[in-house]
Each structure stands twice: as structure tokens, then as C-alpha cells.
């Protein structure tokens, strides 16, 4: 075993010893064990119950194919050794540097759906079928915050993905919710999450729509919400959308559209994961805006820039 892989094994062992106990105390079955701690091992390693989601990040390094495969085998062996889980429970993803791609890409594999629990809520995940798993672990605290504020509120979830924020709002006592996304695949997933948590499908509606069009129509219908989650992808060129979404260019329009639906004492949470993102300063002239990114970062994530999050209220 090389010195480098030895350091990697030691770090994994140290992390899992602390975090496994922490996750059990918290009631978490899904958590991050390793977050690119050592530069020579550019991986994010997440535990999902008795499975491992192993993501390799593209560094642009050049290695011979045989050398690379040997290195990757060493990494997988180390994960198997430290976690005690079988090799077939290690789910490897290679995240390439991508531009102009949709956020949720298929991998070509089917994988198996299974349920994990987070703070008493249940969610379907799949570690193979898509680049992402169905649950973004870095927004665990944000979900908890939404759940804690939702009692008696009307909740709107925009770019809802698999509906996890809606599950938290509904189980937190929201009077009603609308869960909006353009993808049938993810809305079906959201419906299954709702059913899993025994939610009332009359009070908690799933809406298939382009968010820009939804905002316009909802404003015309004079809809009002007390709590809104706006968590768009950084970029999407989905053929189903009328236009390409570029969050740096389009965030002002999205925030204004969502704020037009917000009740006077309501709260909008706006988040995205574009590292270079800058909030347009003109928005701070119109609304009360507080950057809560640090408060929404879970303890098991080292990367402080994995997302940015703001709490926005009317002046």
C-alpha cells in the first residue's frame, strides 16, 4: 500500500468513526463521509443506509488507463475495507466537467430504488440511474428549517425535483402546498415520496409546469403563499422549456416572480449551487435579504461553497 492510499484509508477511518455515531444520534441514514479531504483523492463519498455513493470529480489529471484503473481499484478497496460494506454496494459515478448540460443526467444504468430516513421523513433514492440520487444531502438543514416554519402555512416549491422540501413542509403542518417542476420523472418520484410519508394528496398538489410560465399564471390568478422554496439548477437546456435557464442571468426575474406570490409576512428561500454566482445588488433595494448559506451547511460537508442560500422578505 502506498503512503497516499494509507493516508486516505486513515482519513476515511477517522471520519466514519465520528460521523457514523453522529448520524445515528441525528436520525440520519444518508450523510457525507468524505468531502475531498485529501487533494490526491478528489472524491465525495456519501453513505446511504448500507450503500455508498462514490463520486469522482474530474480534475483534468492525465493518467495512463491501466494506472488509472489500478488507482480506482485501490480507492474502492479502501472504501470497502473502512465501511465493511460489500463491493456490490459501492456505487461509482464519474462527474465530468460539463457545460451546457441539464442538471439531472441519466447514466444509462437502472439501479434499484430504496428508502432512506432523514429526521423521521422517508425518501426514495436511486444511486445508479442518474448523476444525482433523488435527495440533495447538502440541503438537509434547509429542509429542516422549512419544516420548522411550515405549520399553518401555504407552501410553494419551485424547481421541486423529487419534492423533498414539500415533504418537510407537509409533515411540518403546512395547510397546503404546490410542488412545481417540468419533469414528469421527478414529479412521479415526488408523488411516491408523498405517498411514502402518507401525505394528503388533496392538500398537497403536484404541478407539472415550466416555472417561468407557472409564475406568470399564478400571478394572474392572484395566488398567495406564506413560504416559498426557489432552488433552481444553475443551467438547463431542457427541450421542454421555452428558453434556456441560466441562473446568473435569470435569477432576478425568478425572484421577482416568486416574490409577487409571497404574502406580506411570508418568507422566500432562494438557493443555487453555481460557485461563481453573485446576487444582483438591485434586489437588495427591493427586498429584505439575508445570506444564510453558512447556517444551511451541514456538519458533514467540508465544502462551504456547495450551495448559497438567502432568506428574502418583503420590505
Amino acid at each position: 500500500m502506498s503512503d497516499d492510499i494509507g493516508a486516505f484509508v486513515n482519513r476515511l477511518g477517522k471520519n466514519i468513526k465520528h460521523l457514523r455515531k453522529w448520524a445515528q444520534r441525528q436520525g440520519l441514514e444518508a450523510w457525507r463521509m468524505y468531502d475531498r479531504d485529501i487533494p490526491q483523492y478528489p472524491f465525495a463519498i456519501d453513505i446511504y443506509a448500507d450503500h455508498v455513493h462514490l463520486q469522482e470529480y474530474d480534475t483534468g489529471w492525465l493518467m495512463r488507463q491501466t494506472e488509472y484503473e489500478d488507482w480506482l481499484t485501490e480507492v474502492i478497496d479502501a472504501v470497502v475495507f473502512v465501511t465493511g460494506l460489500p463491493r456490490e454496494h459501492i456505487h461509482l459515478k464519474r462527474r465530468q466537467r460539463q457545460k451546457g448540460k441539464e442538471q439531472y443526467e441519466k447514466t444509462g444504468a437502472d439501479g434499484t430504488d430504496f428508502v432512506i430516513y432523514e429526521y423521521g421523513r422517508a425518501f426514495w433514492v436511486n444511486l445508479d440511474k442518474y448523476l444525482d440520487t433523488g435527495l440533495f444531502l447538502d440541503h438537509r438543514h434547509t429542509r429542516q428549517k422549512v419544516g420548522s416554519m411550515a405549520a399553518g402555512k401555504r407552501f410553494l416549491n419551485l424547481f421541486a425535483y423529487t419534492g423533498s422540501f414539500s415533504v418537510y413542509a407537509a409533515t411540518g403542518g403546512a395547510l397546503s402546498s404546490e410542488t412545481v417542476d417540468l419533469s414528469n420523472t421527478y414529479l412521479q418520484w415526488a408523488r411516491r415520496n408523498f405517498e411514502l410519508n402518507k401525505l394528503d394528496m388533496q392538500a398537497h398538489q403536484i404541478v407539472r409546469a415550466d416555472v417561468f410560465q407557472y409564475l406568470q399564471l399564478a400571478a394572474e390568478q392572484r395566488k398567495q403563499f406564506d413560504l416559498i422554496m426557489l432552488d433552481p439548477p444553475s443551467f438547463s437546456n431542457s427541450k421542454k422549456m421555452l428558453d434556456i435557464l441560466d441562473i446568473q442571468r435569470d435569477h432576478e426575474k425568478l425572484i421577482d416572480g416568486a416574490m409577487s406570490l409571497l404574502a406580506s409576512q411570508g418568507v422566500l428561500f432562494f438557493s443555487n449551487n453555481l460557485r461563481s454566482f453573485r446576487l444582483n445588488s438591485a434586489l437588495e433595494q427591493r427586498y429584505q435579504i439575508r445570506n444564510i448559506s453558512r447556517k444551511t451547511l451541514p456538519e458533514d460537508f467540508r465544502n462551504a461553497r456547495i450551495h448559497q442560500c438567502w432568506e428574502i422578505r418583503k420590505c
Side-chain angles (χ1 to χ4, degrees), residues 192-213:
R192 292 172 66 216
N193 280 335
F194 282 22
E195 291 166 352
L196 194 60
N197 290 277
K198 297 179 172 56
L199 302 182
D200 178 1
M201 298 302 290
Q202 295 294 316
H204 303 289
Q205 297 178 13
I206 288 172
V207 180
R208 182 175 182 267
D210 177 309
V211 167
F212 289 101
Q213 291 177 290

PDB file of all heavy atoms in Angstrom, residues 192-213:
ATOM      1  N   ARG A 192     -44.348   9.602  -5.184  1.00  0.00           N
ATOM      2  CA  ARG A 192     -44.009   8.412  -4.398  1.00  0.00           C
ATOM      3  C   ARG A 192     -43.481   8.801  -3.018  1.00  0.00           C
ATOM      4  O   ARG A 192     -43.755   8.126  -2.017  1.00  0.00           O
ATOM      5  CB  ARG A 192     -42.983   7.562  -5.151  1.00  0.00           C
ATOM      6  CG  ARG A 192     -43.545   6.931  -6.419  1.00  0.00           C
ATOM      7  CD  ARG A 192     -42.442   6.272  -7.229  1.00  0.00           C
ATOM      8  NE  ARG A 192     -41.880   5.134  -6.539  1.00  0.00           N
ATOM      9  CZ  ARG A 192     -40.589   4.792  -6.591  1.00  0.00           C
ATOM     10  NH1 ARG A 192     -39.726   5.515  -7.278  1.00  0.00           N
ATOM     11  NH2 ARG A 192     -40.161   3.733  -5.936  1.00  0.00           N
ATOM     12  N   ASN A 193     -42.724   9.899  -2.952  1.00  0.00           N
ATOM     13  CA  ASN A 193     -42.262  10.389  -1.646  1.00  0.00           C
ATOM     14  C   ASN A 193     -43.434  10.858  -0.787  1.00  0.00           C
ATOM     15  O   ASN A 193     -43.463  10.629   0.429  1.00  0.00           O
ATOM     16  CB  ASN A 193     -41.255  11.536  -1.831  1.00  0.00           C
ATOM     17  CG  ASN A 193     -39.856  11.045  -2.162  1.00  0.00           C
ATOM     18  OD1 ASN A 193     -39.486   9.918  -1.835  1.00  0.00           O
ATOM     19  ND2 ASN A 193     -39.074  11.885  -2.821  1.00  0.00           N
ATOM     20  N   PHE A 194     -44.413  11.509  -1.417  1.00  0.00           N
ATOM     21  CA  PHE A 194     -45.606  11.952  -0.688  1.00  0.00           C
ATOM     22  C   PHE A 194     -46.344  10.744  -0.118  1.00  0.00           C
ATOM     23  O   PHE A 194     -46.748  10.738   1.046  1.00  0.00           O
ATOM     24  CB  PHE A 194     -46.543  12.720  -1.621  1.00  0.00           C
ATOM     25  CG  PHE A 194     -46.124  14.147  -1.900  1.00  0.00           C
ATOM     26  CD1 PHE A 194     -44.819  14.562  -1.749  1.00  0.00           C
ATOM     27  CD2 PHE A 194     -47.054  15.073  -2.333  1.00  0.00           C
ATOM     28  CE1 PHE A 194     -44.438  15.867  -2.014  1.00  0.00           C
ATOM     29  CE2 PHE A 194     -46.694  16.379  -2.601  1.00  0.00           C
ATOM     30  CZ  PHE A 194     -45.383  16.781  -2.442  1.00  0.00           C
ATOM     31  N   GLU A 195     -46.534   9.734  -0.966  1.00  0.00           N
ATOM     32  CA  GLU A 195     -47.257   8.535  -0.540  1.00  0.00           C
ATOM     33  C   GLU A 195     -46.507   7.811   0.570  1.00  0.00           C
ATOM     34  O   GLU A 195     -47.105   7.301   1.522  1.00  0.00           O
ATOM     35  CB  GLU A 195     -47.488   7.616  -1.744  1.00  0.00           C
ATOM     36  CG  GLU A 195     -48.493   8.190  -2.746  1.00  0.00           C
ATOM     37  CD  GLU A 195     -48.489   7.469  -4.081  1.00  0.00           C
ATOM     38  OE1 GLU A 195     -47.598   6.594  -4.303  1.00  0.00           O
ATOM     39  OE2 GLU A 195     -49.359   7.778  -4.933  1.00  0.00           O
ATOM     40  N   LEU A 196     -45.186   7.792   0.452  1.00  0.00           N
ATOM     41  CA  LEU A 196     -44.338   7.137   1.448  1.00  0.00           C
ATOM     42  C   LEU A 196     -44.521   7.765   2.830  1.00  0.00           C
ATOM     43  O   LEU A 196     -44.474   7.087   3.856  1.00  0.00           O
ATOM     44  CB  LEU A 196     -42.879   7.250   0.995  1.00  0.00           C
ATOM     45  CG  LEU A 196     -41.808   6.404   1.650  1.00  0.00           C
ATOM     46  CD1 LEU A 196     -42.093   4.914   1.489  1.00  0.00           C
ATOM     47  CD2 LEU A 196     -40.438   6.737   1.031  1.00  0.00           C
ATOM     48  N   ASN A 197     -44.744   9.083   2.834  1.00  0.00           N
ATOM     49  CA  ASN A 197     -44.914   9.814   4.088  1.00  0.00           C
ATOM     50  C   ASN A 197     -46.383  10.045   4.443  1.00  0.00           C
ATOM     51  O   ASN A 197     -46.687  10.836   5.335  1.00  0.00           O
ATOM     52  CB  ASN A 197     -44.158  11.146   4.016  1.00  0.00           C
ATOM     53  CG  ASN A 197     -42.659  10.958   4.027  1.00  0.00           C
ATOM     54  OD1 ASN A 197     -42.046  10.817   5.068  1.00  0.00           O
ATOM     55  ND2 ASN A 197     -42.052  10.915   2.831  1.00  0.00           N
ATOM     56  N   LYS A 198     -47.274   9.330   3.705  1.00  0.00           N
ATOM     57  CA  LYS A 198     -48.721   9.339   3.986  1.00  0.00           C
ATOM     58  C   LYS A 198     -49.304  10.753   3.999  1.00  0.00           C
ATOM     59  O   LYS A 198     -50.064  11.134   4.909  1.00  0.00           O
ATOM     60  CB  LYS A 198     -49.008   8.622   5.308  1.00  0.00           C
ATOM     61  CG  LYS A 198     -48.616   7.149   5.283  1.00  0.00           C
ATOM     62  CD  LYS A 198     -48.890   6.459   6.617  1.00  0.00           C
ATOM     63  CE  LYS A 198     -48.695   4.954   6.529  1.00  0.00           C
ATOM     64  NZ  LYS A 198     -47.360   4.536   6.058  1.00  0.00           N
ATOM     65  N   LEU A 199     -48.963  11.539   2.968  1.00  0.00           N
ATOM     66  CA  LEU A 199     -49.450  12.913   2.873  1.00  0.00           C
ATOM     67  C   LEU A 199     -50.776  12.974   2.126  1.00  0.00           C
ATOM     68  O   LEU A 199     -51.048  12.145   1.253  1.00  0.00           O
ATOM     69  CB  LEU A 199     -48.406  13.794   2.176  1.00  0.00           C
ATOM     70  CG  LEU A 199     -47.023  13.827   2.843  1.00  0.00           C
ATOM     71  CD1 LEU A 199     -46.099  14.757   2.107  1.00  0.00           C
ATOM     72  CD2 LEU A 199     -47.143  14.243   4.307  1.00  0.00           C
ATOM     73  N   ASP A 200     -51.570  13.959   2.446  1.00  0.00           N
ATOM     74  CA  ASP A 200     -52.887  14.166   1.843  1.00  0.00           C
ATOM     75  C   ASP A 200     -52.712  14.793   0.456  1.00  0.00           C
ATOM     76  O   ASP A 200     -52.352  15.975   0.337  1.00  0.00           O
ATOM     77  CB  ASP A 200     -53.719  15.091   2.741  1.00  0.00           C
ATOM     78  CG  ASP A 200     -55.090  15.404   2.158  1.00  0.00           C
ATOM     79  OD1 ASP A 200     -55.426  14.896   1.073  1.00  0.00           O
ATOM     80  OD2 ASP A 200     -55.826  16.168   2.816  1.00  0.00           O
ATOM     81  N   MET A 201     -52.970  14.018  -0.591  1.00  0.00           N
ATOM     82  CA  MET A 201     -52.745  14.491  -1.954  1.00  0.00           C
ATOM     83  C   MET A 201     -53.779  15.534  -2.395  1.00  0.00           C
ATOM     84  O   MET A 201     -53.628  16.154  -3.436  1.00  0.00           O
ATOM     85  CB  MET A 201     -52.728  13.316  -2.935  1.00  0.00           C
ATOM     86  CG  MET A 201     -51.615  12.312  -2.677  1.00  0.00           C
ATOM     87  SD  MET A 201     -49.946  13.034  -2.708  1.00  0.00           S
ATOM     88  CE  MET A 201     -49.769  13.408  -4.446  1.00  0.00           C
ATOM     89  N   GLN A 202     -54.817  15.727  -1.606  1.00  0.00           N
ATOM     90  CA  GLN A 202     -55.766  16.813  -1.898  1.00  0.00           C
ATOM     91  C   GLN A 202     -55.170  18.158  -1.484  1.00  0.00           C
ATOM     92  O   GLN A 202     -55.278  19.150  -2.206  1.00  0.00           O
ATOM     93  CB  GLN A 202     -57.090  16.579  -1.144  1.00  0.00           C
ATOM     94  CG  GLN A 202     -57.846  15.347  -1.593  1.00  0.00           C
ATOM     95  CD  GLN A 202     -58.340  15.456  -3.025  1.00  0.00           C
ATOM     96  OE1 GLN A 202     -58.865  16.485  -3.429  1.00  0.00           O
ATOM     97  NE2 GLN A 202     -58.159  14.396  -3.790  1.00  0.00           N
ATOM     98  N   ALA A 203     -54.545  18.163  -0.320  1.00  0.00           N
ATOM     99  CA  ALA A 203     -53.969  19.414   0.200  1.00  0.00           C
ATOM    100  C   ALA A 203     -52.610  19.725  -0.422  1.00  0.00           C
ATOM    101  O   ALA A 203     -52.219  20.893  -0.517  1.00  0.00           O
ATOM    102  CB  ALA A 203     -53.832  19.335   1.719  1.00  0.00           C
ATOM    103  N   HIS A 204     -51.897  18.683  -0.844  1.00  0.00           N
ATOM    104  CA  HIS A 204     -50.523  18.858  -1.325  1.00  0.00           C
ATOM    105  C   HIS A 204     -50.446  18.429  -2.790  1.00  0.00           C
ATOM    106  O   HIS A 204     -50.350  17.249  -3.113  1.00  0.00           O
ATOM    107  CB  HIS A 204     -49.563  18.084  -0.428  1.00  0.00           C
ATOM    108  CG  HIS A 204     -49.664  18.504   1.001  1.00  0.00           C
ATOM    109  ND1 HIS A 204     -49.205  19.719   1.440  1.00  0.00           N
ATOM    110  CD2 HIS A 204     -50.230  17.904   2.079  1.00  0.00           C
ATOM    111  CE1 HIS A 204     -49.459  19.845   2.734  1.00  0.00           C
ATOM    112  NE2 HIS A 204     -50.083  18.754   3.138  1.00  0.00           N
ATOM    113  N   GLN A 205     -50.503  19.429  -3.667  1.00  0.00           N
ATOM    114  CA  GLN A 205     -50.656  19.187  -5.097  1.00  0.00           C
ATOM    115  C   GLN A 205     -49.320  19.189  -5.825  1.00  0.00           C
ATOM    116  O   GLN A 205     -48.399  19.920  -5.468  1.00  0.00           O
ATOM    117  CB  GLN A 205     -51.576  20.242  -5.700  1.00  0.00           C
ATOM    118  CG  GLN A 205     -52.988  20.184  -5.140  1.00  0.00           C
ATOM    119  CD  GLN A 205     -53.874  21.271  -5.720  1.00  0.00           C
ATOM    120  OE1 GLN A 205     -53.532  21.923  -6.700  1.00  0.00           O
ATOM    121  NE2 GLN A 205     -55.032  21.468  -5.118  1.00  0.00           N
ATOM    122  N   ILE A 206     -49.273  18.357  -6.868  1.00  0.00           N
ATOM    123  CA  ILE A 206     -48.104  18.284  -7.740  1.00  0.00           C
ATOM    124  C   ILE A 206     -48.480  18.922  -9.073  1.00  0.00           C
ATOM    125  O   ILE A 206     -49.509  18.588  -9.667  1.00  0.00           O
ATOM    126  CB  ILE A 206     -47.668  16.817  -7.915  1.00  0.00           C
ATOM    127  CG1 ILE A 206     -47.024  16.326  -6.609  1.00  0.00           C
ATOM    128  CG2 ILE A 206     -46.705  16.659  -9.079  1.00  0.00           C
ATOM    129  CD1 ILE A 206     -46.721  14.851  -6.579  1.00  0.00           C
ATOM    130  N   VAL A 207     -47.646  19.872  -9.526  1.00  0.00           N
ATOM    131  CA  VAL A 207     -47.962  20.650 -10.721  1.00  0.00           C
ATOM    132  C   VAL A 207     -46.825  20.533 -11.731  1.00  0.00           C
ATOM    133  O   VAL A 207     -45.686  20.909 -11.440  1.00  0.00           O
ATOM    134  CB  VAL A 207     -48.165  22.144 -10.361  1.00  0.00           C
ATOM    135  CG1 VAL A 207     -48.504  22.949 -11.610  1.00  0.00           C
ATOM    136  CG2 VAL A 207     -49.235  22.302  -9.285  1.00  0.00           C
ATOM    137  N   ARG A 208     -47.151  20.022 -12.914  1.00  0.00           N
ATOM    138  CA  ARG A 208     -46.142  19.960 -13.980  1.00  0.00           C
ATOM    139  C   ARG A 208     -46.213  21.253 -14.788  1.00  0.00           C
ATOM    140  O   ARG A 208     -47.229  21.546 -15.422  1.00  0.00           O
ATOM    141  CB  ARG A 208     -46.375  18.761 -14.900  1.00  0.00           C
ATOM    142  CG  ARG A 208     -45.305  18.647 -15.977  1.00  0.00           C
ATOM    143  CD  ARG A 208     -45.457  17.383 -16.809  1.00  0.00           C
ATOM    144  NE  ARG A 208     -44.389  17.307 -17.792  1.00  0.00           N
ATOM    145  CZ  ARG A 208     -44.491  17.778 -19.049  1.00  0.00           C
ATOM    146  NH1 ARG A 208     -45.618  18.326 -19.457  1.00  0.00           N
ATOM    147  NH2 ARG A 208     -43.469  17.689 -19.874  1.00  0.00           N
ATOM    148  N   ALA A 209     -45.140  22.047 -14.736  1.00  0.00           N
ATOM    149  CA  ALA A 209     -45.132  23.331 -15.445  1.00  0.00           C
ATOM    150  C   ALA A 209     -43.716  23.867 -15.560  1.00  0.00           C
ATOM    151  O   ALA A 209     -42.858  23.585 -14.724  1.00  0.00           O
ATOM    152  CB  ALA A 209     -46.004  24.344 -14.703  1.00  0.00           C
ATOM    153  N   ASP A 210     -43.485  24.655 -16.602  1.00  0.00           N
ATOM    154  CA  ASP A 210     -42.300  25.495 -16.708  1.00  0.00           C
ATOM    155  C   ASP A 210     -42.449  26.568 -15.626  1.00  0.00           C
ATOM    156  O   ASP A 210     -43.483  27.237 -15.539  1.00  0.00           O
ATOM    157  CB  ASP A 210     -42.271  26.116 -18.107  1.00  0.00           C
ATOM    158  CG  ASP A 210     -41.111  27.067 -18.318  1.00  0.00           C
ATOM    159  OD1 ASP A 210     -40.925  27.975 -17.483  1.00  0.00           O
ATOM    160  OD2 ASP A 210     -40.399  26.913 -19.318  1.00  0.00           O
ATOM    161  N   VAL A 211     -41.454  26.728 -14.766  1.00  0.00           N
ATOM    162  CA  VAL A 211     -41.579  27.634 -13.619  1.00  0.00           C
ATOM    163  C   VAL A 211     -41.858  29.071 -14.065  1.00  0.00           C
ATOM    164  O   VAL A 211     -42.672  29.774 -13.449  1.00  0.00           O
ATOM    165  CB  VAL A 211     -40.330  27.553 -12.712  1.00  0.00           C
ATOM    166  CG1 VAL A 211     -40.300  28.714 -11.708  1.00  0.00           C
ATOM    167  CG2 VAL A 211     -40.314  26.219 -11.960  1.00  0.00           C
ATOM    168  N   PHE A 212     -41.226  29.532 -15.132  1.00  0.00           N
ATOM    169  CA  PHE A 212     -41.470  30.897 -15.610  1.00  0.00           C
ATOM    170  C   PHE A 212     -42.946  31.077 -15.986  1.00  0.00           C
ATOM    171  O   PHE A 212     -43.570  32.082 -15.641  1.00  0.00           O
ATOM    172  CB  PHE A 212     -40.584  31.210 -16.814  1.00  0.00           C
ATOM    173  CG  PHE A 212     -39.127  31.378 -16.471  1.00  0.00           C
ATOM    174  CD1 PHE A 212     -38.221  30.347 -16.702  1.00  0.00           C
ATOM    175  CD2 PHE A 212     -38.654  32.566 -15.922  1.00  0.00           C
ATOM    176  CE1 PHE A 212     -36.885  30.500 -16.390  1.00  0.00           C
ATOM    177  CE2 PHE A 212     -37.309  32.728 -15.610  1.00  0.00           C
ATOM    178  CZ  PHE A 212     -36.429  31.685 -15.846  1.00  0.00           C
ATOM    179  N   GLN A 213     -43.494  30.095 -16.688  1.00  0.00           N
ATOM    180  CA  GLN A 213     -44.907  30.168 -17.072  1.00  0.00           C
ATOM    181  C   GLN A 213     -45.814  30.040 -15.849  1.00  0.00           C
ATOM    182  O   GLN A 213     -46.837  30.726 -15.756  1.00  0.00           O
ATOM    183  CB  GLN A 213     -45.226  29.062 -18.086  1.00  0.00           C
ATOM    184  CG  GLN A 213     -44.562  29.274 -19.438  1.00  0.00           C
ATOM    185  CD  GLN A 213     -44.854  28.121 -20.386  1.00  0.00           C
ATOM    186  OE1 GLN A 213     -44.365  27.003 -20.210  1.00  0.00           O
ATOM    187  NE2 GLN A 213     -45.665  28.382 -21.384  1.00  0.00           N
TER     188      GLN A 213
END
